[in-house]
Each structure stands twice: as C-alpha cells, then as structure tokens.
Amino acid sequence: MLRFVCALGCLLSLSLVSPGLTVEAFAVSGQSPAAGAASAEKPICPVMLEEVEDPSDAAYSAYQGKRYYFCCPACKPKFDKNPRKYIRALKNKQAQAKRTSSR
C-alpha cells in the first residue's frame, strides 16, 4: 500500500502506529530537494516542529492574537487541545536554532 505524508514528523508518527510500515522513499509533495534553499523562511508546525510547505493552503489556529500553521490537518486538534505545550516546544526549537546559527 502506498501512503503519502506531508512531513518527516508525520512519517515518524505513522511508523509508530503502523510498525510493519516499509518506507521506500520520502519526498515533500510538489517540491524538489533544492527548491527550499531559495525560498523565504516558512512557518514551523508547533506540533511536529517541521516546516509548513504552503502556509496559504495549510490548516491554522489563532491563539493569543497569533496564527499557528500546521504541516497537516491532524496536527490542528492536538494543538487546540493544549496550545501552551506546543508553543513552548516551538519556542525552545527556535531558541536552539538561533543559538546554533550564531556560532
């Protein structure tokens, strides 16, 4: 059976639910590996901590006056249930990336 996923994080989640899953290849739909290098910074899904490929077509939630975009529709209800948990994880990832890039 062929399955498509929107991000590496979703692939990992799927493999936890389906232990016998065999993956032959992974690619983000509609994007070549080099395409992301020249694009503007993309929002990060607060649940999977992966880039959101197309924010104009992505699910999102508004929380405390800010929009949070998701890599797939399944992430939205998780975020809506406990937004502070996911925002904290997102801020930690962004802080770590900032520290790493300033070295």
Side-chain angles (χ1 to χ4, degrees), residues 35-65:
S39 65
E41 188 173 319
K42 297 176 182 175
I44 304 292
C45 172
V47 177
M48 292 296 179
L49 301 175
E50 299 281 341
E51 284 187 349
V52 177
E53 291 303 317
D54 185 4
S56 66
D57 193 36
Y60 70 88
S61 289
Y63 181 74
Q64 294 185 342

Side-chain angles (χ1 to χ4, degrees), residues 1 3 5 10-23:
M1 172 187 276
R3 295 182 190 217
V5 294
C10 293
L11 176 64
L12 296 174
S13 293
L14 182 62
S15 66
L16 292 175
V17 177
S18 306
L21 180 70
T22 301
V23 177

Side-chain angles (χ1 to χ4, degrees), residues 4-5 13 17 21 23-24 29 34-35 46 50 55 61 70 78 80 83 87 100 102:
F4 293 92
V5 294
S13 293
V17 177
L21 180 70
V23 177
E24 293 181 21
S29 175
E50 299 281 341
S61 289
F70 305 103
K78 293 176 185 179
D80 290 342
I87 292 169
T100 303
S102 66

